[in-house]
Amino acid sequence: MARANAAYYAGRDPFADFITAPEISQMFGEILGAWVAVTWQGMGRPVPFALVEAGPGRGTLMADMMRLLARVAPDCHDAARVHLVELSPRLRDVQQAALAGRTAHPVTWHDRIEDVPEGAVILLANEFLDALAIRQFVRTADGWAERFVQGPAFVTQPASDLPPGPFDRPVPCGEILECCPDALAVARHVAARLCRAPGTALFVDYGYDGAVWGDTLQALRDGQPAWPLADPGLADLTAHVDFAAFAAAVRDGGAVCHGSVTQGALLGALGLFARAEQLARNRAPGEAYAIRDAAQRLAAPDRMGRLFKALAITSPGLPVPPGFALP
Ligand code: SAH
């Protein structure tokens, strides 16, 4: 599954199949740009610092953040060394074009988060974790079995060794538990890094938070749901992110978790609706409607607002990041 998804991102324009928050509206990147500026201040304004995005897609989020920072927080803008973690050469080209003229220093690309140089860091990742390959385990009367892909079908075999994961959950017989070893490795790496140097990370993705289970593997091809095992490399394969397991791995690594909170709560707390009204002012009615509708699409519970969640991670001793204080 991992290889099928790498082939997919390398070979196709994924944004023909789905639309992500930064592509819905510039407001998403502007709001998170302001979040970066305040977070940077809370970290003691380190100069320089690595501004890292994992899985930047078309580069829209980073471009919108940098435009906002140049305007309202030029010190932060100039201190930022932008690092992008992206495997797809084709998307790297798109990102380079999106960021041309937007950064004070050259942008650096990496294959893996682990390759970003040490030091003060602010890391963001929107819809990155959901693209990482999962493993699926089935609870049986005799213990755990693992689901494998064989040709166009799933087969189940007794699990010989279990990876680290949430296997202590009270999963009923016949039900599926997913775990994402690559996401847990990211969690452990980020936690260790934030224990060595001041840093804050923000992961936004669709997923669940709690002791839950179930099959969430899904495929989208040409914008339509598809059978996940048909035509490897031609459909986008994703799974919901298990924020509880991710946060547990972060805490085990010694860093501090804030949230998760829903995307709607985060963007609302950070001023999404005020920004929408500001942008809508003096616009033609159709344009004003589109701006307000985009804000609703990002934040309303029955649209992206509840399914999408945000988890912030900080070095021990740093302030709670904006939008994550308990009400
Ligand atoms: N954050 C963007 C794109 C989300 S799509 C947005 O919100 O629009 C997922 C992104 O992660 C793509 O850029 C894809 O190429 C990248 N990606 C997927 N798996 C990856 C991996 N293992 N390592 C690095 N990047 C990966």
Side-chain angles (χ1 to χ4, degrees):
M1 267 187 278
R3 243 173 304 144
N5 231 19
Y8 168 80
Y9 282 109
R12 288 173 64 96
D13 176 5
F15 301 93
D17 289 324
F18 57 86
I19 180 158
T20 58
E23 304 296 332
I24 288 173
S25 166
Q26 69 185 66
M27 291 184 287
F28 188 75
E30 291 170 345
I31 296 277
L32 292 187
W35 183 90
V36 166
V38 177
T39 298
W40 180 67
Q41 285 183 4
M43 286 166 53
R45 306 165 62 92
V47 181
F49 75 100
L51 180 56
V52 185
E53 186 179 353
R58 283 180 175 160
T60 309
L61 172 60
M62 186 59 82
D64 289 342
M65 290 198 307
M66 293 309 282
R67 195 186 59 245
L68 185 287
L69 289 174
R71 209 169 65 223
V72 307
D75 295 358
C76 178
H77 176 272
D78 292 353
R81 305 296 190 267
V82 173
H83 293 266
L84 301 179
V85 179
E86 175 61 67
L87 285 176
S88 158
R90 183 178 156 139
L91 285 176
R92 285 184 180 200
D93 289 345
V94 177
Q95 292 153 14
Q96 185 165 29
L99 284 171
R102 292 246 170 260
T103 58
H105 308 275
V107 177
T108 315
W109 278 265
H110 308 275
D111 285 347
R112 307 174 324 138
I113 292 183
E114 289 83 343
D115 302 332
V116 176
E118 287 289 319
V121 63
I122 298 178
L123 181 149
L124 295 98
N126 185 61
E127 292 208 40
F128 170 69
L129 297 174
D130 70 66
L132 303 179
I134 54 160
R135 292 172 71 177
Q136 291 189 324
F137 294 86
V138 188
R139 176 107 228 173
T140 72
D142 306 323
W144 291 102
E146 183 163 5
R147 279 222 296 182
F148 291 99
V149 176
Q150 203 168 73
F154 286 114
V155 295
T156 303
Q157 287 170 11
S160 46
D161 60 328
L162 291 179
F167 292 99
D168 53 351
R169 291 183 188 166
V171 181
C173 251
E175 292 283 346
I176 284 180
L177 183 75
E178 296 178 342
C179 87
C180 185
D182 290 351
L184 299 183
V186 168
R188 283 191 293 271
H189 168 77
V190 169
R193 184 181 168 123
L194 298 195
C195 290
R196 290 192 298 268
T200 305
L202 177 67
F203 288 89
V204 181
D205 226 306
Y206 53 98
Y208 45 92
D209 196 349
V212 294
W213 49 85
D215 176 6
T216 73
L217 180 66
Q218 61 186 30
L220 275 184
R221 182 172 177 188
D222 302 325
Q224 298 297 321
W227 169 238
L229 304 188
D231 305 324
L234 293 185
D236 178 47
L237 291 180
T238 66
H240 287 208
V241 172
D242 183 343
F243 279 99
F246 190 79
V250 169
R251 283 192 210 97
D252 278 352
V256 183
C257 287
H258 308 273
S260 66
V261 299
T262 64
Q263 175 167 303
L266 178 67
L267 296 179
L270 296 177
L272 172 70
F273 295 104
R275 178 68 182 143
E277 287 313 310
Q278 192 183 38
L279 287 172
R281 208 175 297 143
N282 302 326
R283 296 285 182 100
E287 284 173 348
Y289 174 83
I291 291 166
R292 294 192 180 104
D293 185 58
Q296 288 296 329
R297 188 166 173 190
L298 292 171
D302 58 340
R303 299 174 85 181
M304 294 172 80
R306 184 162 39 215
L307 176 60
F308 281 73
K309 300 187 175 56
L311 180 79
I313 307 168
T314 57
S315 304
L318 285 184
V320 177
F324 287 89
L326 292 174

